[in-house]
Amino acid sequence: DAMVIQNPRYQVTQFGKPVTLSCSQTLNHNVMYWYQQKSSQAPKLLFHYYDKDFNNEADTPDNFQSRRPNTSFCFLDIRSPGLGDAAMYLCATSKGTQPQHFGDGTRLSIL
Amino acid sequence: EDQVTQSPEALRLQEGESSSLNCSYTVSGLRGLFWYRQDPGKGPEFLFTLYSAGEEKEKERLKATLTKKESFLHITAPKPEDSATYLCAVRASGGGADGLTFGKGTHLIIQP
């Protein structure tokens, strides 16, 4: 089945140690999104790629970066994770403005 | 700033007891209102998109409706497997394929 796959499902890192989360898709969608969801909170958009064009939300911390080397893959890099960055990170894809399809997320813990 | 408020935060129903979840929104030009279901430890699963006031969509025991200020998700004769968090989200005008603004969700529990 075509889907959005996030790896790893669980990631533990140390305070200040860079970490990379990955997302791949077999839907051939041109738009890929990264959301941060803290416990019992709404998913919050961090940034998205429309094809190769990167779109950053105004309030996304500089600590968060993203790469999209090709249509299928997108990465979220957290350069120096703080305790407040512990959350579920959700990747989503869409074809233009059609509904977004989400992966099952990566739960990030900071020690 | 776009805002989405969902109520109630949590709802416990008996199996077969119908109810409605509310999503009120403030947005500068609505380009779609979306309902998702999220199970624990999973990503949101798409349910419905509504684009204009008066529009309705149905799927099994769920029916979504839209007015100019709010949307309702009606659940008819729910079953325990309908237990989940239901998220409402909006896409505002601004061009391109902008991301969604989500509400915090309604945590729904259906007791057998």
Side-chain angles (χ1 to χ4, degrees):
Chain A
D1 289 340
M3 53 179 33
V4 181
I5 301 168
Q6 292 190 242
N7 284 306
R9 292 295 316 279
Y10 302 91
Q11 176 75 55
V12 181
T13 191
Q14 292 180 332
F15 182 95
K17 185 174 181 180
V19 65
T20 295
L21 311 182
S22 73
C23 177
S24 64
Q25 55 131 340
T26 59
L27 297 162
N28 202 32
H29 285 170
N30 62 328
V31 192
M32 295 187 78
Y33 308 80
W34 281 104
Y35 289 85
Q36 179 192 64
Q37 186 179 26
K38 296 187 177 181
S39 181
S40 300
Q41 297 294 311
K44 180 180 180 300
L45 180 67
L46 296 174
F47 26 58
H48 73 278
Y49 276 93
Y50 195 110
D51 296 318
K52 294 182 179 180
D53 294 333
F54 178 70
N55 298 271
N56 197 27
E57 293 299 297
D59 57 354
T60 298
D62 293 339
N63 200 25
F64 291 83
Q65 304 285 321
S66 186
R67 296 170 283 134
R68 189 180 185 184
N70 54 52
T71 300
S72 300
F73 286 87
C74 196
F75 299 97
L76 170 62
D77 301 307
I78 308 176
R79 293 191 296 186
S80 182
L83 296 178
D85 297 328
M88 173 81 87
Y89 290 88
L90 296 165
C91 174
T93 72
S94 71
K95 185 175 183 180
T97 58
Q98 291 182 9
Q100 296 177 20
H101 295 261
F102 284 80
D104 281 337
T106 294
R107 182 165 296 281
L108 178 66
S109 299
I110 314 294
L111 299 180
Chain B
E1 182 180 338
D2 304 330
Q3 286 192 330
V4 177
T5 304
Q6 292 188 245
S7 62
E9 290 185 7
L11 182 62
R12 188 183 297 265
L13 300 172
Q14 292 296 122
E15 183 173 1
E17 181 183 359
S18 301
S19 188
S20 297
L21 313 182
N22 177 263
C23 170
S24 62
Y25 62 91
T26 304
V27 63
S28 55
L30 183 69
R31 291 171 57 226
L33 184 140
F34 302 80
W35 281 98
Y36 285 84
R37 168 191 172 129
Q38 187 172 28
D39 292 299
K42 300 280 190 177
E45 175 188 349
F46 171 72
L47 294 173
F48 304 109
T49 308
L50 302 166
Y51 290 102
S52 56
E55 190 175 358
E56 299 182 352
K57 294 274 181 74
E58 280 190 74
K59 179 181 179 180
E60 296 181 356
R61 295 177 293 280
L62 301 177
K63 179 180 178 180
T65 62
L66 181 66
T67 72
K68 289 186 177 181
K69 294 182 179 181
E70 58 191 351
S71 176
F72 290 94
L73 184 65
H74 306 280
I75 302 177
T76 302
K79 298 181 178 181
E81 53 261 41
D82 295 322
S83 298
T85 295
Y86 290 85
L87 296 167
C88 172
V90 297
R91 173 181 282 139
S93 60
D98 296 331
L100 302 177
T101 299
F102 280 88
K104 291 184 179 181
T106 293
H107 181 50
L108 178 65
I109 298 173
I110 309 299
Q111 293 180 313

